[in-house]
């Protein structure tokens, strides 16, 4: 007779032991490099965060109150919102249009796909140095403006133009990755849907609106979430091109955290700002999944 299993979970049976044996390396890795750093960051945000002889002392919510009262921090938040808004939307819309265009069969399609994807695999530090050379006062961009009769623009020393340079670089860097994601999503849409739409007299715009977009719903969620995360953690382009200037106009939250922690050695205050960044990121991801992720 086959023994009847009880409803209680047995932690010591062979299947459970085998499962925990195979899960142990992954759990150890996650605990060491993900869970513990997050927990320590949260703990550090409630301390003085000094790694000198004075040691670490618990100070409660003082670091968070300092954030709220610091005008420079609120300017950094405004900069980050401005940067994220004008980076995420084009970084999703433009690759979507490129993917729809490159999904068709024509000459040089493979070459164009490769050309658009190359920026995604290049070093952001190297690209940032090149971008800084392009937009310097006597760089090629101003040379081109003067060649067509326009006045040069102080791109990197202007509080108005410095942030658009950072945004343009970030969009350019993200295009290739999102384009490949959308191409994969487009190829998963059955071709007979488009053939049936053509027989019904649907034009290209109607096919895109009623077939392509619904078919890419889960892909759009993935692309928007990953782009938002990549954008909020932007650091290299600010560090290499502007250093947060001029007049703090390009200082983003991750660079601000770095500056507070490794320039001013105020680790507790930096940990509080990093905890806030993590909470905002999780909130945005949850909101995007809630709004766009239904039925995906």
């Amino acid at each position: 007779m086959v023994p009847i299993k009880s409803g209680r979970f047995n932690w010591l049976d062979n299947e459970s032991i085998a499962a925990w044996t195979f899960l142990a390396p992954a759990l150890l890795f996650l605990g060491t490099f993900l869970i513990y750093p997050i927990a320590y960051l949260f703990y550090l945000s409630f301390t003085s965060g000094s790694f000198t002889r004075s040691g670490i002392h618990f100070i409660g919510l003082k670091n968070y109150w300092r954030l709220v009262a610091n005008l420079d921090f609120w300017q950094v938040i405004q900069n980050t919102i401005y940067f994220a808004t004008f980076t995420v939307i084009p970084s999703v819309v433009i690759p979507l249009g490129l993917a729809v265009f490159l999904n068709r069969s024509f000459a040089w399609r493979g070459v164009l796909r490769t050309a658009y994807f190359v920026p995604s695999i290049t070093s952001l530090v190297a690209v940032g140095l090149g971008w800084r050379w392009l937009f310097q006062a006597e760089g090629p961009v101003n040379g081109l403006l003067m060649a067509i009769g326009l006045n040069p623009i102080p791109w990197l020393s202007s509080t108005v133009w410095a942030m658009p340079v950072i945004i343009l670089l970030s969009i350019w860097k993200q295009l290739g990755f999102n384009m490949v994601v959308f191409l994969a999503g487009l190829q998963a849409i059955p071709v007979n849907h488009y053939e049936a739409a053509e027989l019904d007299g649907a034009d290209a715009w109607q096919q895109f609106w009623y077939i392509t977009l619904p078919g890419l719903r889960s892909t759009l969620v993935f692309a928007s979430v990953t782009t938002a995360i990549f954008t909020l953690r932007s650091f290299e382009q600010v560090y290499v091109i502007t250093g947060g200037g001029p007049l703090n106009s390009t200082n983003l939250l991750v660079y601000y955290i770095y500056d507070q922690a490794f320039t001013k050695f105020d680790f507790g205050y930096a940990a509080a700002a990093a905890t806030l960044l993590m909470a905002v990121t999780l909130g945005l991801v949850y909101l995007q999944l809630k709004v766009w992720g239904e039925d995906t």
Side-chain angles (χ1 to χ4, degrees):
M1 296 180 61
V2 178
I4 300 175
K5 296 183 179 180
S6 64
R8 298 180 61 185
F9 181 77
N10 188 355
W11 293 85
L12 298 178
D13 61 11
N14 292 333
E15 292 182 358
S16 299
I17 294 174
W20 285 110
T21 301
F22 286 113
L23 287 173
L27 293 176
L28 181 62
F29 181 86
L30 289 175
T32 304
F33 296 102
L34 181 63
I35 298 175
Y36 172 74
I38 291 175
Y40 185 72
L41 173 72
F42 187 69
Y43 158 74
L44 196 63
S45 68
F46 294 100
T47 68
S48 60
S50 175
F51 294 102
T52 61
R53 292 181 179 179
S54 60
I56 298 176
H57 303 284
F58 184 81
I59 59 174
L61 296 173
K62 288 184 179 180
N63 287 324
Y64 293 95
W65 288 119
R66 287 176 60 196
L67 285 175
V68 174
N70 193 334
L71 296 179
D72 288 339
F73 173 75
W74 288 110
Q75 182 180 355
V76 169
I77 292 296
Q78 292 177 2
N79 294 341
T80 305
I81 293 173
Y82 169 38
F83 172 77
T85 301
F86 288 96
T87 300
V88 172
I89 296 175
S91 296
V92 173
V93 174
I94 297 175
L96 176 59
L98 289 174
V100 172
F101 172 71
L102 294 177
N103 195 43
R104 303 173 181 177
S105 297
F106 60 92
W108 302 99
R109 182 180 66 170
V111 176
L112 288 176
R113 287 183 177 183
T114 303
Y116 283 120
F117 184 72
V118 165
S120 299
I121 59 176
T122 55
S123 169
L124 190 53
V125 174
V127 170
L129 291 173
W131 217 261
R132 182 175 179 175
W133 170 73
L134 287 173
F135 286 93
Q136 63 183 343
E138 298 179 356
V141 174
N142 278 336
L144 179 61
L145 292 178
M146 290 187 290
I148 61 177
L150 298 177
N151 294 325
I153 298 174
W155 298 100
L156 303 182
S157 60
S158 170
T159 57
V160 175
W161 292 106
M163 183 64 84
V165 172
I166 302 294
I167 291 174
L168 188 61
L169 169 59
S170 302
I171 295 172
W172 178 80
K173 191 73 171 63
Q174 190 67 23
L175 285 181
F177 176 81
N178 285 345
M179 184 196 69
V180 170
V181 170
F182 285 128
L183 280 172
L186 286 171
Q187 293 173 6
I189 301 175
V191 180
N192 56 5
H193 290 184
Y194 294 99
E195 295 173 349
E198 289 181 1
L199 292 175
D200 291 337
D203 57 23
W205 173 252
Q206 289 173 328
Q207 293 179 33
F208 174 79
W209 188 259
Y210 293 105
I211 298 176
T212 303
L213 282 183
L216 290 176
R217 186 180 182 89
S218 59
T219 308
L220 281 167
V221 173
F222 174 79
S224 61
V225 169
T226 54
T227 303
I229 294 173
F230 292 156
T231 301
L232 288 174
R233 67 176 182 82
S234 296
F235 169 78
E236 293 93 336
Q237 53 267 58
V238 178
Y239 180 81
V240 172
I241 297 177
T242 63
L247 299 178
N248 214 34
S249 61
T250 61
N251 195 354
L252 302 180
L253 189 52
V254 174
Y255 185 82
Y256 181 76
I257 294 169
Y258 161 81
D259 184 60
Q260 295 298 319
F262 299 105
T263 302
K264 300 179 180 178
F265 299 101
D266 196 350
F267 292 100
Y269 181 76
T275 302
L276 179 62
L277 174 62
M278 182 178 63
V280 170
T281 304
L282 292 176
L284 287 176
V285 171
Y286 173 79
L287 182 62
Q288 287 176 313
L289 293 175
K290 191 71 175 178
V291 174
W292 299 102
E294 297 178 357
D295 301 326
T296 58

